[in-house]
Every structure is written in structure tokens, then in C-alpha cells.
């Protein structure tokens, strides 16, 4: 049995179904990761489930006026949260028969709804809400109570801030709440020790405490102090025949809750350390999570685990270990191997071997719903398990919802690392082919007054082959559009005729075959346009592709006289850095820049065309004598040193770069920027 669908109306960020702002979230049976920017609605999803199902740790929480959705100046009067459960076993169907729903001959399912209304009307108490729980479609079934209510409780792991404090002893400590809710502690609440039989060792916590109290009272020092207080002081302070007496005890009542509140949990010291030591925040959080997970599967309830931001204080490797554990718990249970009966010959003998013992039954699959802001956790999970929540809308990335095909999912499973997974938390995304664009585009955006960090834009460098595999994450099979703009920046990759002297020619055609075309002057204008159209053929919804007009970003920037010296200096510096293998000194940088400017002057004097000069400038990059990433670093420095105005940049940059930056930020108002 698992939670398959959650609908939320008028709860916090989610509005009404009529206004199209409610939430309709489909969940998988195993692992579900809710990812997205801050204030998108992830915590609201977790809290809605907690309010509806309640938790195994008996957390106290109630709805207040602030939980009701606000649209404009109006706060909603009513709220509804509905969960549908599928995959019920035969025993579960029998146990909850009166609550089940059967629609159009489908398998029986269980629908549970929370209905709430604000009590700020006549006779009501402002700020409070009346809450009802009912089963059935449209909440028209019987009230949810008794065994069903207890069965539906989920295990909740809250965001961790002070794990050490949560596990220390004290009134209503978190540790005492967890242990009190654990079913194994129920029998510890009774005493199995009696003063009439003091030699019998107790086995329950309450019994142990009563025995300890008896032993403390019997201590000679305690008895002496007790006698002195009564005989030397209280007797003299008594009035009339009412003699005051006192008794020393451990506690007023040795009940289980008070005992549990005296317990604390801490990690043991490292091996070889004899005295207790304080451990780091991250390891204490791991201990706290392990403690909370005690309640998962500790009863016969539904194995549903809610986790909020478990990455707090955990380094990446520990986050990966956490995800591996959750994936193992959420995976379908393995089928037991077949039992071999009977007369199989034992190896090396004639006697039949004994039958194999039956395998233990597989553990029940746990459904996990987890919110995170960690690219490390998001990259570790399969993309199909993610749900992108942005602007109070939920978009499942399951195969039935996106335009990713099976090969795309396999590719992303292999290559989606933490540096790329930041795209799940951005307001907009720029997908680029290499490290050069990854470095230079943010620099250009900042110089244009459209800083990517200010606008929440993530730049993802994926390599040419994966460019569109990543962008298709944001394209849907349904009519819903993800409100995250995605700009793919691509090179047209058709070398100009001026690069013939160093770009290898196409292989000679076989007899009877037409000669292969490679250079721009060999194609018609329509054929060249077709190259760009081919790169844009999968555009749609929030995805747009911006293609260089000629060859590559660096080459096309070198075509313009405003950027030509900057690009040439950057490539020269990158080439010199690769040759030297060490950071360049200020003197060397000045010498290389001067030599680059002298080259340009000589080429101009020789009446070379802009296309010829751009081809010469780009040659070291093509021949791999210079690194594109280092070139981009030096080019960013040159842009900052040159201090070109946004007006010059916007007017002289290749227009596809300006349009890509505008698409993921905002239209560039040159006058305002200047």
C-alpha cells in the first residue's frame, strides 16, 4: 500500500482548483525527491501530508489561520487535502473494507480527506480551524478513526538544526517522544518489581526505577539525613498534634515518560579515545536521523517516510551514503531464491543433500518522500524519481510526463552529476556545450547588467552530445509548461572558407559519389540556415536554442572589431600559459598582450579581411594549442579590463548571445544599463 496521489486546495501556497492554483501530485511507490527553489511549496507538501495522516512520533501540530491560502486580499475560508492510496493487500482491503473506493472496475483504493474551515465567524475563535477527516471520493465516506487512523501514521524526519540538543535529556525531549512512541516500549510502562520480593530483578524500566528508588531510600546516608530532617527540624516546626514528616525519593512518580526524559543519546568517542568528546554537527545529524528512523517499520502501520532537507551539515560523501540507504529501503523487495527439494546429489557423495532452508520473507518496501536543496542528492537519484516544484506547481519527471526517451534517462543516470544537477534549483537555465561558454557567458551577462546570480540563472556545461538531453527535462508530454526558461547555446560548427589552410578537408568521395561539403562557401544560404534549424528542431515550451551565426563563439566574437583584440589577446595568453605550464607573471601578460596587438596591426596593414583575421585568431584553439577554458578566463579578464559599456556590448556582441542572455534574465535596456 502506498500514497499514489495527493491533492491540496487552499493550503498555504496552493490555491483553489477553480482558480487553477491547487496541487495535484502523483507519487511513485518507492523514492520521491521534491526539488526546486526556496518558497516553491516543497515544505507545504510535507506538512499537508503530516496534517492529514499524523505521525508515528505523536507530534502535536494544528492548523491555524495562516495555513489558509491567500489570494490577493482574500484568505480562503475552507481547505481540503486529499490522499489516495493504492496497492492494498488482501488483508488491508478486508480490514478497511468500509472505507474503500472502487471506480469503473479498477482495483480498490483508499481515499482520505482533511476538511478544514476557519473559525473566525460568529461564535468562532479567530485564528483557529475546525478539522474533520473523512474517507471516500469527495470526502463522502465515513469518518477516519480507530485502527485506520493509527495505521495511516507516517514517519517524519524534520529539518535538522541542533541534533545534539534534540537528543539530550530533558522535559518533553525529542528522544523521549520517539522512544515513547516505539511499540517495544509499551510493556516498559508497568512495574514488575515489588518491595515484598526485593531480590527479584526487574525487567521493565518502571520496575528498574522503583527498585532503584528503594535502594536509594535504603542507603544509610540517605536514611540518616532523612531522620535528621524529621527529628531535628520538622518535629520542632510542627503545630499541635500534626507532626510534619518528609521522605526522600528519586521522583514523585516513576512513570515511563519521566524515565525516558532522563535518557540521552550521543555518539561514542573515536577508537582509542578514553574520555567522552563532542562530535561534529554532521555526525550528530546522522545519529538523529537513525534515531528518528527507529519508528519506520516499528509497527504494523504504513511504511511511509517523510524527510525534509536531510543534507544539513553533511558533506557530499555522507549525502551519497544517505541516498544509497534510502534507495535500498525504497527499492522493491528482492524475490527469494527457489527452494530446492529432495534428491539432489551432494557433491562428491551418493547421499542426497538436505533441502535448503526457506528464505526469510522480503522486507516491506518503504515509500520515501524527500525534499532537498542538495545537487548532490538530486544527482544521485534517478531523474524519474524527481518532482520539480517551482512557483507553487509540481512537475513530475517520470517517463510518462517528460519528452525524455529511454536513452535520455540512461544517459542522465550516467552523466548527471552535482555540478549539472543545480539546474533543478534555478529560476532559469543556460545549457552550453563546453567550459568556455560556461565561463564567458556569466561574464558577458554581468557586463550587460544582467548578472546570472542576481536572476537565479544556472549555467550547465554538458558537452555537445548531451546538450538537448538536459533541455528535454523541461519539456512535457502534457499541455503544462514548466515556468523555467531554458536557453541552449550552440555552435553552428560550419568552418569558413578562410580556415581551409588548417581545417582538414573532407575525405575523398568514392567513385560516382558527390564531393562532400564542409566549408561555408560550399553551401547555399538555405543550406546554411538548415544547419541552425536542425539544432532548433526540438525547441518548444520553455526551451529555446540560440545558434552562432558562423562557426564557434570565440570565432564569431573575433569577427567584430570591438572584440577582435580582446579575443586575440585571450587566445595568445592561454597558449602561452599552456606552453609554460605555470601561472603567467604580470610582465609576461603585458608582453603577450603587446605582441597580440602588434599581430592585429600587421594583419590590418596587410589588408586582410575581418574573416581572414578571425580565422587566424581562432587557429590555436582549433589546433588545441590553447585551452578553451583558459581562453574564456583570460577573455573575461580582458572584458573587465576594457570596461566596455553595456551599449557597446549589446550592439557589437553576436546577437544570438544577447538574445540568449535576455531570454533567461530580462530585456536589456541599454540606456538604463549605461
Amino acid at each position: 500500500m502506498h500514497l499514489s496521489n495527493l491533492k491540496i486546495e487552499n493550503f498555504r501556497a496552493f490555491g483553489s482548483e477553480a482558480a487553477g492554483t491547487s496541487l495535484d501530485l502523483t507519487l511513485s511507490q518507492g523514492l520521491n525527491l521534491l526539488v526546486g527553489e526556496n518558497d516553491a511549496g516543497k515544505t507545504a507538501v510535507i506538512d499537508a501530508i503530516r496534517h492529514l495522516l499524523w505521525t508515528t512520533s505523536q507530534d502535536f501540530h494544528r492548523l491555524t489561520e495562516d495555513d489558509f491560502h491567500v489570494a490577493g486580499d482574500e484568505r480562503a475560508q475552507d481547505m481540503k487535502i486529499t490522499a489516495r492510496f493504492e496497492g492494498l493487500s488482501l488483508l488491508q482491503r478486508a480490514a478497511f473494507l468500509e472505507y474503500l473506493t472502487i471506480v469503473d472496475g479498477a482495483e480498490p483504493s483508499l481515499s482520505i480527506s482533511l476538511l478544514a474551515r476557519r473559525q473566525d465567524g460568529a461564535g468562532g475563535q479567530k485564528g483557529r480551524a475546525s478539522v474533520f477527516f473523512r474517507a471516500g471520493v469527495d470526502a463522502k465516506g465515513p469518518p477516519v478513526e480507530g485502527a485506520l487512523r493509527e495505521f495511516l501514521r507516517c514517519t517524519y524526519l524534520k529539518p535538522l538544526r541542533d541534533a545534539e540538543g534534540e537528543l539530550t535529556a530533558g522535559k518533553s525531549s525529542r528522544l523521549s517522544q520517539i522512544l515513547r512512541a516505539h511499540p517495544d516500549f509499551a510493556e516498559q510502562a508497568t512495574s514488575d518489581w515489588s518491595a515484598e520480593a526485593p531480590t527479584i530483578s526487574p525487567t521493565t524500566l518502571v520496575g528498574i526505577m522503583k527498585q532503584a528508588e528503594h535502594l536509594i531510600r535504603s542507603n544509610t546516608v540517605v536514611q540518616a539525613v532523612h531522620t535528621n530532617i524529621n527529628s531535628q527540624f520538622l518535629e520542632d516546626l510542627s503545630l499541635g498534634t500534626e507532626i510534619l514528616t518528609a521522605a526522600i525519593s528519586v521522583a514523585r512518580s516513576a512513570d515511563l515518560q519521566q524515565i525516558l526524559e532522563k535518557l540521552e543519546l550521543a555518539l561514542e568517542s573515536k577508537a582509542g579515545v578514553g574520555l567522552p568528546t563532542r562530535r561534529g554537527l554532521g555526525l550528530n545529524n546522522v545519529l538523529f536521523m537513525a534515531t528518528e528512523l527507529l519508528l519506520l517499520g516499528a509497527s504494523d502501520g504504513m511504511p511511509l517516510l517523510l524527510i525534509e532537507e536531510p543534507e544539513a551539515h553533511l558533506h557530499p560523501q555522507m549525502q551519497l551514503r544517505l541516498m544509497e540507504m534510502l534507495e535500498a529501503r525504497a527499492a522493491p523487495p528482492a524475490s527469494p531464491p527457489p527452494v530446492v527439494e529432495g534428491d539432489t546429489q551432494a557433491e562428491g557423495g551418493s547421499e542426497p543433500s538436505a533441502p535448503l532452508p526457506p528464505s526469510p520473507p522480503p522486507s516491506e518496501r518503504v515509500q520515501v518522500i524527500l525534499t532537498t536543496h542538495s545537487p548532490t542528492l538530486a544527482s544521485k537519484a534517478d531523474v524519474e524519481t524527481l518532482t520539480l516544484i517551482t512557483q507553487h506547481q509540481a512537475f513530475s519527471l517520470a517517463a510518462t510526463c517528460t519528452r525524455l526517451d529511454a536513452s535520455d534517462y540512461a544517459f542522465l543516470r550516467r552523466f548527471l552529476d552535482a555540478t549539472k544537477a543545480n539546474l533543478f534549483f534555478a529560476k532559469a537555465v543556460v545549457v552550453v556545450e563546453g567550459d568556455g561558454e560556461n565561463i564567458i557567458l556569466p561574464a558577458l551577462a554581468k557586463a550587460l547588467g544582467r548578472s546570472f546570480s542576481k536572476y537565479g540563472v544556472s549555467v550547465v556545461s554538458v558537452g555537445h552530445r548531451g546538450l538537448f538531453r538536459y533541455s528535454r527535462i523541461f519539456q512535457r508530454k502534457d499541455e503544462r509548461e514548466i515556468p523555467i526558461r531554458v536557453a541552449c547555446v550552440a555552435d553552428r560548427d560550419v568552418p569558413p572558407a578562410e580556415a581551409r589552410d588548417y581545417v582538414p578537408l573532407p575525405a575523398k568521395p568514392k567513385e560516382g559519389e558527390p564531393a562532400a561539403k564542409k566549408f561555408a562557401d560550399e553551401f547555399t544560404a538555405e543550406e546554411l540556415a538548415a544547419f541552425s534549424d536542425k539544432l532548433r528542431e526540438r525547441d518548444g515550451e520553455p526551451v529555446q536554442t540560440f545558434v552562432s551565426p558562423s562557426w564557434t563563439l570565440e570565432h564569431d566574437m573575433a569577427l567584430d572589431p570591438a572584440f577582435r583584440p580582446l579575443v586575440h589577446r585571450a587566445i595568445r595568453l592561454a597558449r602561452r600559459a599552456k606552453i609554460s605550464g605555470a601561472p603567467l607573471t604580470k610582465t609576461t601578460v603585458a608582453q603577450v598582450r603587446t605582441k597580440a596587438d602588434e599581430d592585429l596591426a600587421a594583419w590590418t596593414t596587410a589588408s586582410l579581411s575581418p574573416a581572414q583575421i578571425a580565422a587566424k585568431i581562432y587557429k590555436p584553439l582549433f589546433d588545441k594549442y590553447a585551452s578553451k577554458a583558459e581562453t574564456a578566463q583570460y577573455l573575461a579578464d580582458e572584458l573587465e579590463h576594457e570596461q566596455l559599456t553595456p551599449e557597446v556590448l549589446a550592439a557589437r556582441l553576436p546577437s544570438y548571445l544577447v538574445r540568449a542572455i535576455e531570454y533567461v534574465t530580462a530585456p536589456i535596456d541599454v540606456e538604463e544599463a549605461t
Side-chain angles (χ1 to χ4, degrees):
M1 177 175 170
H2 67 280
L3 174 58
S4 62
N5 182 263
L6 179 71
K7 293 183 179 179
I8 303 176
E9 297 181 58
N10 290 327
F11 178 68
R12 297 187 188 168
F14 305 112
S16 67
E17 185 175 358
T21 55
S22 62
L23 180 76
D24 190 339
L25 177 61
T26 299
L27 297 161
S28 69
Q29 186 175 356
L31 184 64
N32 299 268
L33 265 71
L34 309 184
V35 297
E37 58 185 333
N38 291 115
D39 198 34
K42 300 185 296 298
T43 296
V45 171
I46 298 295
D47 285 349
I49 298 174
R50 292 172 57 216
H51 280 290
L52 176 62
L53 304 183
W54 296 354
T55 62
T56 54
S57 57
Q58 311 287 337
D59 296 319
F60 175 76
H61 50 272
R62 62 181 177 85
L63 291 170
T64 64
E65 183 181 40
D66 292 340
D67 290 315
F68 288 80
H69 178 72
V70 175
D73 296 329
E74 296 292 329
R75 187 181 298 276
Q77 186 70 31
D78 297 289
M79 174 197 305
K80 184 177 182 182
I81 302 171
T82 301
R84 185 174 73 248
F85 300 89
E86 297 179 346
L88 281 73
S89 68
L90 289 176
L91 289 177
Q92 290 166 348
R93 295 179 192 180
F96 308 127
L97 181 62
E98 63 181 301
Y99 301 100
L100 300 186
T101 299
I102 301 177
V103 180
D104 298 331
E107 290 290 320
S109 62
L110 175 66
S111 291
I112 303 295
S113 295
L114 176 155
L115 306 172
R117 167 162 290 192
R118 288 194 295 122
Q119 289 184 337
D120 54 358
Q125 185 177 1
K126 187 174 179 60
R128 301 292 294 273
S130 57
V131 181
F132 305 92
F133 298 90
R134 302 193 75 88
V137 177
D138 297 328
K140 294 181 179 179
V144 177
E145 53 191 15
L148 178 59
R149 161 56 67 200
E150 293 304 314
F151 177 82
L152 290 175
R153 291 182 183 273
C154 58
T155 301
Y156 171 60
L157 181 56
K158 67 179 181 178
L160 303 178
R161 297 296 179 261
D162 181 15
E164 185 177 7
E166 295 280 2
L167 296 175
T168 56
K171 180 70 174 177
S172 300
S173 70
R174 183 62 180 168
L175 179 61
S176 69
Q177 294 173 10
I178 294 171
L179 297 180
R180 190 71 178 88
H182 198 285
D184 289 352
F185 278 84
E187 61 185 22
Q188 300 294 315
T190 59
S191 174
D192 59 351
W193 181 86
S194 171
E196 285 74 22
T199 59
I200 299 177
S201 298
T203 59
T204 67
L205 291 178
V206 171
I208 291 171
M209 182 59 72
K210 286 188 176 295
Q211 183 190 49
E213 185 177 27
H214 171 77
L215 293 174
I216 290 172
R217 283 184 172 184
S218 303
N219 180 272
T220 55
V221 174
V222 172
Q223 286 184 339
V225 171
H226 170 260
T227 300
N228 287 340
I229 291 175
N230 287 328
S231 62
Q232 297 184 20
F233 299 101
L234 288 181
E235 185 174 327
D236 293 338
L237 294 172
S238 299
L239 297 176
T241 59
E242 184 179 352
I243 306 300
L244 299 176
T245 58
I248 297 177
S249 63
V250 176
R252 295 190 178 187
S253 62
D255 62 31
L256 180 61
Q257 183 62 37
Q258 289 185 347
I259 296 172
L260 295 179
E261 288 174 352
K262 292 179 173 63
L263 301 180
E264 66 180 17
L265 186 64
L267 287 168
E268 293 185 352
S269 301
K270 295 181 180 180
V273 178
L275 297 176
T277 58
R278 295 176 69 94
R279 308 301 291 271
L281 284 174
L283 292 183
N284 280 320
N285 278 7
V286 171
L287 176 62
F288 183 82
M289 285 189 282
T291 307
E292 287 277 4
L293 294 177
L294 277 173
L295 298 179
L296 183 63
S299 64
D300 295 329
M302 186 176 58
L304 173 60
L305 174 61
L306 309 179
I307 308 179
E308 284 199 84
E309 302 174 23
E311 66 270 15
H313 310 300
L314 300 185
H315 62 276
Q317 289 75 16
M318 187 63 78
Q319 292 183 38
L320 294 176
R321 288 286 289 159
L322 171 64
M323 182 56 68
E324 288 174 355
M325 183 197 74
L326 294 176
E327 286 180 324
R329 294 293 187 98
S335 300
V339 176
V340 180
E341 299 274 350
D343 60 356
T344 303
Q345 294 292 321
E347 185 178 355
S350 58
E351 293 296 326
S353 62
L356 293 177
S359 299
S363 60
E364 189 171 4
R365 186 179 190 180
V366 176
Q367 184 180 21
V368 180
I369 304 175
L370 179 152
T371 70
T372 183
H373 292 120
S374 168
T376 300
L377 291 180
S379 67
K380 176 64 176 175
D382 287 340
V383 174
E384 301 99 309
T385 67
L386 302 181
T387 295
L388 180 60
I389 298 186
T390 180
Q391 297 185 26
H392 311 148
Q393 301 177 66
F395 299 91
S396 171
L397 302 185
T400 55
C401 301
T402 74
R403 292 190 185 178
L404 294 166
D405 57 31
S407 66
D408 291 331
Y409 281 111
F411 177 91
L412 293 171
R413 193 173 297 118
R414 187 174 299 112
F415 294 108
L416 181 64
D417 56 28
T419 61
K420 301 179 182 68
N422 69 79
L423 61 86
F424 296 121
F425 307 94
K427 290 183 176 293
V429 178
V430 179
V431 187
V432 298
E433 295 177 343
D435 292 333
E437 294 89 341
N438 191 20
I439 295 170
I440 195 60
L441 277 174
L444 291 174
K446 183 178 180 180
L448 288 167
R450 293 295 180 267
S451 169
F452 282 168
S453 60
K454 176 182 177 181
Y455 284 88
V457 179
S458 287
V459 182
V460 182
S461 175
V462 300
H464 179 69
R465 289 185 176 182
L467 187 67
F468 301 105
R469 293 186 189 270
Y470 291 86
S471 65
R472 285 197 289 273
I473 291 173
F474 297 90
Q475 293 179 314
R476 312 287 297 173
K477 289 180 179 176
D478 52 30
E479 297 180 355
R480 302 175 66 219
E481 182 171 326
I482 298 178
I484 296 176
R485 291 191 170 190
V486 181
C488 297
V489 178
D491 293 333
R492 193 178 72 175
D493 279 332
V494 179
E498 292 77 9
R500 270 194 175 88
D501 62 334
Y502 61 85
V503 175
L505 297 173
K508 289 185 178 180
K510 296 180 180 179
E511 187 176 351
E513 292 183 354
K517 298 178 180 180
K518 186 164 188 175
F519 297 93
D521 63 341
E522 298 171 340
F523 298 96
T524 65
E526 291 75 14
E527 288 173 330
L528 290 173
F531 282 102
S532 298
D533 293 340
K534 178 70 174 176
L535 292 170
R536 289 191 285 260
E537 66 180 0
R538 293 202 177 186
D539 283 6
E541 299 167 34
V543 177
Q544 285 194 26
T545 303
F546 301 86
V547 185
S548 65
S550 179
W551 194 4
T552 68
L553 181 148
E554 298 87 356
H555 170 270
D556 290 5
M557 287 184 68
L559 286 171
D560 188 276
F563 298 107
R564 189 174 300 145
L566 310 186
V567 176
H568 186 42
R569 293 171 195 161
I571 293 176
R572 282 280 190 172
L573 288 166
R575 181 175 182 178
R576 183 62 175 271
K578 188 170 184 178
I579 293 172
S580 65
L584 302 182
T585 64
K586 291 184 178 180
T587 301
T588 302
V589 170
Q591 291 172 348
V592 172
R593 294 177 82 250
T594 299
K595 181 62 171 65
D597 291 344
E598 290 173 354
D599 289 341
L600 280 180
W603 293 337
T604 303
T605 302
S607 300
L608 296 183
S609 68
Q612 290 173 317
I613 294 175
K616 282 183 171 293
I617 290 174
Y618 187 71
K619 186 177 185 300
L621 283 183
F622 184 87
D623 292 335
K624 301 189 184 304
Y625 293 149
S627 161
K628 281 202 168 191
E630 286 190 328
T631 297
Q633 290 176 342
Y634 284 116
L635 182 53
D637 292 340
E638 289 293 324
L639 284 168
E640 186 174 354
H641 180 268
E642 199 72 13
Q643 294 186 339
L644 297 173
T645 65
E647 182 178 13
V648 171
L649 278 175
R652 307 306 292 270
L653 271 176
S655 62
Y656 81 105
L657 295 177
V658 177
R659 288 186 286 109
I661 292 170
E662 285 184 318
Y663 183 66
V664 295
T665 56
I668 296 172
D669 186 336
V670 175
E671 292 184 1
E672 175 189 344
T674 55

